Amino acid sequence: QVQLVESGGGLAQAGGSLRLSCVASGLAIRDYQLGWFRQAPGEERKFVARITRYGTLFSDSVRGRFTIAADNVKNTIYLYMNNMKPEDTAAYYCAAGPLSGNYDWWGQGTQVTVSS
């Protein structure tokens, strides 16, 4: 059974930083795509970043401010959010799936709030 557990959300000021973590169990993250998505109130869930053993990918809205990293020993991925903006406020979700498929597994989410 695959489980993804996010942590690290909270309150940040504009220009500040937060680190989100996602611990995976039931799969080896190096063999899958792991991604971060976010959903603001009243909006659809949107892609933020992705990591595979081949590289990383970011949405235009966070490129240059956010980075994503993986620790294969801890089976954990991280989202480093820097120079945060109020529009980064959302629930952030970790997701996993086959390298060439859809995201099949999702975490419960962690709330991030950025004050101006």
Side-chain angles (χ1 to χ4, degrees):
Q1 180 182 0
V2 175
Q3 284 192 321
L4 303 171
V5 180
E6 305 99 332
S7 63
L11 181 64
Q13 291 189 333
S17 300
L18 282 176
R19 186 190 78 169
L20 304 183
S21 301
C22 173
V23 180
S25 58
L27 58 76
I29 63 171
R30 71 176 307 276
D31 295 328
Y32 291 83
Q33 60 173 334
L34 277 292
W36 288 98
F37 292 76
R38 66 187 182 186
Q39 186 170 18
E43 297 185 11
E44 295 183 350
R45 190 172 298 187
K46 296 178 181 178
F47 169 78
V48 175
R50 184 191 80 167
I51 187 166
T52 72
R53 62 182 181 226
Y54 302 110
T56 59
L57 184 67
F58 297 92
S59 69
D60 290 344
S61 61
V62 306
R63 188 177 297 112
R65 299 188 299 119
F66 290 12
T67 58
I68 188 171
D71 185 329
N72 293 330
V73 174
K74 295 182 178 179
N75 223 35
T76 299
I77 66 166
Y78 304 94
L79 184 68
Y80 295 88
M81 304 183 290
N82 301 307
N83 189 23
M84 298 183 72
K85 303 176 180 181
E87 51 263 43
D88 295 323
T89 295
Y92 282 71
Y93 297 88
C94 176
L99 287 173
S100 59
N102 297 320
Y103 289 94
D104 290 333
W105 303 283
W106 294 82
Q108 292 299 308
T110 185
Q111 179 66 36
V112 171
T113 302
V114 184
S115 63
S116 57

